[in-house]
Each structure stands twice: as structure tokens, then as C-alpha cells.
Amino acid sequence: MAKCAVCDKGAHFGIAVSHSHRRSNKMWKANIKSVKVKVNGAAKKMYVCTSCLRSGKVERA
């Protein structure tokens, strides 16, 4: 399962409840992208969530 390399955001688990109140297991996945990022001046491929990309926590290579 993919996790953000910056903030460790991953999937969340819970129970989905339908209109008739039937319950089933559900997984909410974080919006994670495979991105080339500058790390110590060199380009490296990492999994980063879109909130870290938008906030500028990482710099694209």
C-alpha cells in the first residue's frame, strides 16, 4: 500500500453504511502520486500525496 514519503499519509479504514443501513468494510485511499523529487540535489522517485505537492513541502525535479 502506498504511503506519502513526506507526511506518512496512507489509507484509512472504516465502515460504509448504506441507505438501508447495511454495513460493509471500506477503505479511503490518500491521493498519492509517483513523482520525481529533488533530494540533496539529485532526482529521486518518491510517492508523495497531493497535499504535500501543493503546499510546497517537496520540490519537483
Side-chain angles (χ1 to χ4, degrees), residues 2-37:
K3 251 188 182 178
C4 179
V6 179
C7 66
D8 282 338
K9 186 187 281 187
H12 294 267
F13 301 93
I15 296 175
V17 183
S18 72
H19 180 68
S20 63
H21 212 69
R22 289 178 63 96
R23 290 159 169 247
S24 60
N25 293 330
K26 180 158 174 58
M27 189 164 98
W28 287 271
K29 293 182 182 175
N31 193 1
I32 294 177
K33 306 291 182 191
S34 178
V35 185
K36 277 189 180 177
V37 177

